[in-house]
Amino acid sequence: MTWVQGYDPMGNIILSAIVAGIPLYILLFLLGVKKTPGHFAAAAAVVSALVVAVAAWGMPAGLAINSVVCGAAFGLFPIVWIVVTAIWVYNMTVESGEFEIIKNSLASITEDRRLQALFVAFAFGSFIEGTAGFGTPVAITAAMLVGLGFNPVYAAGICLIANTAPVAFGGIGIPVIVAAQVSGLDIMHISQIIGRQLPFLSIIVPLWVAVTMSGWKRSMEVLPALLVGGGCFAVTQWYTANYVSPYLPDITSAVVTIVGLGLFLRFWKPSNIWRFPDEKDTGAGKEELRYTSGEVIRAWMPYILLAIMVFLWGWGPVKSVLGATNINIPWPGLHNAISKAVPIVAKTTPYGAVYTFGWLSAGGTAILLSGILSLFVIPNYGVGRAIACFGRTIRILMFPIVTIAMILGLAYLMNYSGMSATMGLAFTKTGALFPLFAPILGWLGVFLTGSDTSSNALFSSLQRTTAEQIGADPYLMVAANSSGGVCGKMLSPQSISVATAATGLVGQEGTIFRFTLPHSIAMIIIVALMTYSQAYFLHWMLPPLP
């Protein structure tokens, strides 16, 4: 006997949608207003969602709890698996001292503040976003810039702005993975559409950062370098997202940008070295390369290995072999125990729940193996220290792990109960204007949750449902949720807290918020107009449906 979803328990779709949103209101209020720790806020949202699903939607309590558990399992594997292994590799480079070589290799390229920001905040920050994500890049790059002598407010602000370009593919593509899983759409097609939206932002972010620092006139002095940096990143991001893998765009784009800029600056130098107006010309920003080429290559090797392994894991022939080891588990008590109904589907259809345990094919396994291989090149860092570091990484990430699991549990509950579908039906009332609001919904989600991954988990199913109801491209709407979300990252309380902690500005969060607010609004307007245009006028820009 299956339970059939209902979508309008209140007798009015708008009122039903308002009620369905109660768990989200609670989550966003606790995160954005009360600044409650993420795991407590997520727990409160899950409990409220269980109450609403059972009391208002009539979902059997057993099914409701089971859907939360199923979602949490997906949150733990493969998502948390990727997060833990990626940050483990990073932590090993820090503990071994190799990360200091990486920082020095970047800081020694130029003493011009605009170009240092381009290298550190934009290029290197994108690399860290691609390999770790979850606040790590802003913490690292903001601290690096302060160490180089940057004004702390600008260090925090420009790192947040520069972090816009890579967020959608952060943490080895976790936001895209979640968007595909929650929406049930093809991951590569979502990646391709994001890869045809974000490069338009990526190519102008370096100029945006330079203008923010020094104004239009002084930015023109380094325009060639800004175009090289933005061009390298945007073109590589587009190509990787469309033709290689949804896991690698940040890593490949960052590497190409760092190498391209480094080569360019061997032959071109700005006519004037720019520093902040209140900064004395003491040479504090100038840093000489203190290591040999061999030491620099060795320090970067863990990340080179990581990029190679992740690329292989996503390469067709290897992927198909690894995929054969996947274990597909119809989730007990949930698989086909619920049916979707009209008008979400043409006729009543069983709602499957199959959990795929890709113990070998998961991206986290590729990263784990890259970390193991790194032990052969990291000096004085053996297996014992690596295992101890792995344990410390898990302990440090315990609360984020719990938060991710509960957020995915919440998303699954809202999907299986029909609450997400109800909200999607209500959004159909915006009609043809919905493509304009789709990225704004993602922007709001990231602003309040601090995570493009969490925003995609909450809203991807809603975006698909709404798109299908109004006859829009569901892939475009799901992709727009992620593309719009990147613009809200610089505003989120969690991101700002990380930036202020890294720059010694704790207590000045309001200053950083005011610094980033106009930039965030301007960027989301660009993405919203782009999405609307792609939905109706520029549909030729999108890839053919899979």
Side-chain angles (χ1 to χ4, degrees):
M1 186 72 179
T2 61
W3 177 72
V4 180
Q5 289 181 340
Y7 307 112
D8 190 10
M10 304 294 115
N12 179 289
I13 193 62
I14 301 300
L15 179 59
S16 294
I18 292 173
V19 174
I22 287 175
L24 302 182
Y25 312 148
I26 291 174
L27 175 67
L28 303 182
F29 173 76
L30 291 176
L31 289 173
V33 179
K34 302 298 289 182
K35 296 183 172 60
T36 305
H39 51 288
F40 287 131
V46 168
V47 171
S48 64
L50 286 169
V51 172
V52 173
V54 173
W57 266 253
M59 187 180 193
L63 287 177
I65 294 172
N66 204 1
S67 64
V68 172
V69 175
C70 182
F74 174 75
L76 293 174
F77 191 97
I79 295 176
V80 165
W81 181 229
I82 293 175
V83 174
V84 169
T85 52
I87 296 182
W88 170 61
V89 172
Y90 162 73
N91 285 342
M92 286 198 297
T93 64
V94 172
E95 287 187 3
S96 64
E98 296 293 273
F99 195 75
E100 291 301 315
I101 302 177
I102 292 175
K103 289 197 296 184
N104 176 247
S105 69
L106 291 171
S108 64
I109 296 174
T110 178
E111 58 184 297
D112 188 287
R113 297 303 196 196
R114 298 162 297 188
L115 298 181
Q116 285 180 340
L118 181 59
F119 264 108
V120 176
F122 179 68
F124 187 56
S126 296
F127 185 84
I128 298 300
E129 179 69 45
T131 56
F134 293 90
T136 307
V138 171
I140 294 170
T141 56
M144 285 176 65
L145 291 184
V146 170
L148 290 172
F150 271 58
N151 177 303
V153 172
Y154 274 90
I158 63 178
C159 285
L160 287 167
I161 295 171
N163 192 231
T164 300
V167 165
F169 295 104
I172 319 293
I174 290 178
V176 186
I177 295 171
V178 171
Q181 176 70 23
V182 173
S183 66
L185 299 176
D186 179 69
I187 185 172
M188 193 63 195
H189 197 75
I190 296 173
S191 172
Q192 289 172 331
I193 295 179
I194 297 174
R196 300 180 191 212
Q197 292 184 322
L198 286 189
F200 293 100
L201 269 186
S202 300
I203 198 168
I204 63 174
V205 164
L207 177 61
W208 201 305
V209 168
V211 171
T212 301
M213 294 173 63
S214 62
W216 276 103
K217 184 176 180 180
R218 298 304 301 270
S219 294
M220 294 301 102
E221 297 173 349
V222 290
L223 184 61
L226 300 177
L227 292 176
V228 169
C232 285
F233 194 96
V235 171
T236 310
Q237 185 182 51
W238 162 78
Y239 183 81
T240 308
N242 275 274
Y243 302 108
V244 180
S245 166
Y247 309 119
L248 287 174
D250 284 353
I251 297 173
T252 54
S253 301
V255 170
V256 170
T257 302
I258 292 170
V259 173
L261 271 176
L263 292 174
F264 180 73
L265 292 179
R266 286 181 177 270
F267 307 100
W268 180 91
K269 301 291 181 186
S271 56
N272 296 299
I273 300 298
W274 184 86
R275 295 181 176 84
F276 292 100
D278 60 348
E279 183 181 358
K280 294 181 180 179
D281 188 3
T282 61
K286 187 175 183 179
E287 186 169 329
E288 298 296 330
L289 181 62
R290 302 189 299 271
Y291 305 94
T292 66
S293 298
E295 289 173 323
V296 172
I297 294 173
R298 184 194 68 203
W300 280 93
M301 190 55 67
Y303 293 111
I304 294 172
L305 290 170
L306 185 151
I308 292 172
M309 296 300 290
V310 171
F311 171 79
L312 288 175
W313 252 238
W315 186 41
V318 175
K319 185 177 180 180
S320 61
V321 172
L322 298 176
T325 66
N326 290 350
I327 301 173
N328 295 314
I329 306 170
W331 197 263
L334 185 63
H335 180 62
N336 290 339
I338 297 172
S339 291
K340 296 180 180 180
V342 178
I344 296 302
V345 289
K347 61 179 181 178
T348 301
T349 306
Y351 199 162
V354 178
Y355 176 74
T356 300
F357 181 60
W359 62 277
L360 185 58
S361 64
T365 303
I367 302 170
L368 175 71
L369 293 175
S370 73
I372 294 172
L373 292 174
S374 297
L375 298 179
F376 292 98
V377 295
I378 300 176
N380 303 315
Y381 202 88
V383 175
R385 291 186 67 184
I387 293 174
C389 180
F390 195 90
R392 283 191 296 273
T393 300
I394 292 176
R395 288 196 297 273
I396 292 170
L397 293 174
M398 189 56 66
F399 286 140
I401 288 171
V402 172
T403 301
I404 292 170
M406 287 194 291
I407 288 291
L408 267 295
L410 172 64
Y412 271 56
L413 172 57
M414 294 194 68
N415 289 344
Y416 280 93
S417 66
M419 293 158 64
S420 290
T422 298
M423 296 176 69
L425 290 172
F427 266 107
T428 62
K429 302 301 180 182
T430 62
L433 289 177
F434 180 71
L436 195 65
F437 291 101
I440 297 175
L441 187 62
W443 174 79
L444 181 64
V446 175
F447 163 55
L448 293 168
T449 67
S451 167
D452 203 38
T453 299
S454 297
S455 179
N456 287 347
L458 292 173
F459 297 133
S460 290
S461 179
L462 171 64
Q463 296 275 16
R464 176 182 180 175
T465 299
T466 306
E468 290 174 341
Q469 291 298 310
I470 66 171
D473 184 346
Y475 282 97
L476 176 60
M477 297 304 103
V478 172
N481 193 84
S482 197
S483 296
V486 306
C487 306
K489 186 77 170 181
M490 69 182 81
L491 277 186
S492 74
Q494 291 88 328
S495 296
I496 291 175
S497 296
V498 168
T500 54
T503 54
L505 294 175
V506 174
Q508 298 187 46
E509 287 79 7
T511 301
I512 305 303
F513 180 84
R514 290 188 295 273
F515 187 105
T516 57
L517 178 61
H519 304 285
S520 179
I521 292 174
M523 287 185 181
I524 188 57
I525 289 174
I526 291 173
V527 176
L529 292 175
M530 185 191 311
T531 302
Y532 186 81
S533 298
Q534 289 177 327
Y536 298 116
F537 316 121
L538 302 175
H539 200 71
W540 55 267
M541 293 177 62
L542 304 179
L545 290 172

